[in-house]
Amino acid sequence: MKLSRRNNWFSRNYSPLYSGWRYGFQVEAESLSRSNELDEMKEKLDSRKLVMGNMSMHSKVVKEKVKKQEEQLSNDIRSLLVAGTSLSGASKRLQDASRSFAGERGYGHLRTLQRVFRMRQQYMVSQVQLLYPVRIAIGQAPEQELEFFNNSSNSGNSAGSKPLDQGALTIAGLHLTVFTKMSFFTDKKEVQRSATALGYVAHVVALIASYLQVPLRYPLRLGGSRSYIRDYAPSIEPSSSDLTSSSSVSANSRPVEFPLFLEGQDSTRAAYAVFLLNKDLEQLLNYIGGRSLGPRHVLANLKELLRTILSPEYIDT
């Protein structure tokens, strides 16, 4: 009975306080929970702000790149327009050129003119061959030049060919004697005949070069059996003082002339002149697509030059 009275008394005096404390605790817990939620939301907001800032910076960079690419693309488009205009003009000119090329004065007309021109060259060279025939003479003197030439040269294979019937070539019936084999006791008439033969060769070379319109590397000064050939290379080595001089001096220097005949007992200059004459023959052979038969075979090279020009293949090359 006493315990029941005590509980009633406690309920009347302390129950409001307990209820107030309990309510306050609940409010504080809710406030703390909301504060935590606000902190989390603030952190998320800050994180999102950072992400948005990064995205904004990246967007600016991308925007600048896009702007530059647009400018570059605009420049490329303008360049393409200009190139297209140029290409269109070039295409039109090409079409005009193609029509002109295929017209009456086109490639066919050019080939016809070339054939006519080469036929004219063949005719003039044939007249030269009639004036100065290069033939094989049966029998030879020991001091006369042996010319290795046969029909195998028609196929361009002249190396290693054998002498044809042991004969020597002649020009207008005259043999060509090697000056280096001459001595004091050599027949003067033979010397004169060799000089005359070299004069004939020089005249033929000069005529053919003019017909082919080829400037000779070593020009000729024709004079029959007293012809000369010119060499523009310096005859002596330049000194150190000469190297400092102007190039116009060397350009205006006079060429050295070498005789195509024997002067006294000096056969070296005459032999060098024959060597230069053969170089002119090699130049003409190279120009028409022929092959030289060697540095000592003057008449053989001349015969090969005549044969190549007078062949039917020369017109169509």
Side-chain angles (χ1 to χ4, degrees), residues 3-293:
L3 181 59
S4 176
R5 289 177 180 177
R6 185 179 297 176
N7 289 336
N8 292 333
W9 180 85
F10 182 81
S11 299
R12 288 194 302 270
N13 293 289
Y14 289 99
S15 178
L17 292 174
Y18 176 76
S19 298
W21 176 81
R22 185 177 180 182
Y23 177 76
F25 179 78
Q26 291 177 351
V27 171
E28 185 177 358
E30 291 178 358
S31 176
L32 182 61
S33 176
R34 290 182 179 180
S35 177
N36 291 336
E37 290 179 357
L38 288 174
D39 290 340
E40 290 178 359
M41 291 177 66
K42 185 178 180 180
E43 289 179 358
K44 290 181 180 180
L45 181 61
D46 292 339
S47 177
R48 289 185 178 181
K49 285 182 178 180
L50 181 61
V51 173
M52 291 297 292
N54 292 335
M55 291 180 65
S56 177
M57 291 295 296
H58 181 69
S59 177
K60 289 181 180 179
V61 173
V62 172
K63 187 176 180 180
E64 291 178 357
K65 286 185 177 180
V66 170
K67 186 177 180 180
K68 291 181 179 179
Q69 289 178 357
E70 286 179 351
E71 294 177 354
Q72 182 66 32
L73 183 59
S74 178
N75 294 332
D76 292 342
I77 291 174
R78 286 194 294 268
S79 300
L80 284 175
L81 290 175
V82 174
T85 304
S86 301
L87 181 61
S88 178
S91 177
K92 187 176 182 302
R93 291 192 297 270
L94 180 60
Q95 292 176 358
D96 295 339
S98 298
R99 286 192 294 268
S100 176
F101 189 71
E104 295 180 355
R105 293 188 173 273
Y107 179 73
H109 181 67
L110 178 62
R111 289 291 297 174
T112 302
L113 289 179
Q114 184 181 22
R115 288 176 60 87
V116 172
F117 179 69
R118 294 207 168 190
M119 289 175 65
R120 182 63 179 173
Q121 287 178 337
Q122 279 191 338
Y123 174 76
M124 292 187 293
V125 172
S126 66
Q127 298 303 306
V128 173
Q129 187 184 38
L130 290 176
L131 291 174
Y132 302 106
V134 180
R135 297 170 181 169
I136 298 176
I138 305 301
Q140 60 180 1
E143 298 175 350
Q144 292 168 349
E145 178 187 21
L146 285 178
E147 302 294 344
F148 295 88
F149 181 87
N150 62 8
N151 294 331
S152 65
S153 63
N154 296 338
S155 60
N157 184 16
S158 59
S161 58
K162 297 180 180 180
L164 183 62
D165 197 20
Q166 295 298 323
L169 291 173
T170 61
I171 180 169
L174 296 177
H175 291 281
L176 178 59
T177 305
V178 180
F179 287 133
T180 54
K181 293 182 179 180
M182 291 185 175
S183 64
F184 180 77
F185 301 100
T186 304
D187 186 5
K188 302 302 179 182
K189 291 183 178 180
E190 183 180 349
V191 174
Q192 182 61 36
R193 286 194 295 268
S194 294
T196 304
L198 285 174
Y200 291 164
V201 175
H203 193 198
V204 173
V205 169
L207 289 175
I208 294 179
S210 65
Y211 298 158
L212 300 180
Q213 298 181 351
V214 176
L216 292 175
R217 186 176 303 167
Y218 303 103
L220 294 161
R221 183 163 69 86
L222 300 177
S225 61
R226 289 296 181 267
S227 299
Y228 290 84
I229 190 167
R230 297 172 181 175
D231 186 8
Y232 284 89
S235 57
I236 57 174
E237 293 293 332
S239 61
S240 59
S241 60
D242 295 334
L243 293 176
T244 59
S245 61
S246 60
S247 59
S248 60
V249 175
S250 60
N252 296 328
S253 59
R254 297 180 59 184
V256 180
E257 288 190 340
F258 294 91
L260 287 167
F261 55 91
L262 195 62
E263 286 185 325
Q265 301 302 317
D266 186 9
S267 61
T268 303
R269 291 173 57 84
Y272 185 66
V274 175
F275 172 78
L276 296 181
L277 180 61
N278 194 62
K279 285 296 181 181
D280 283 343
L281 284 168
E282 290 182 4
Q283 179 187 356
L284 295 176
L285 281 168
N286 293 332
Y287 180 77
I288 62 175
R291 295 182 58 184
S292 172
L293 303 178

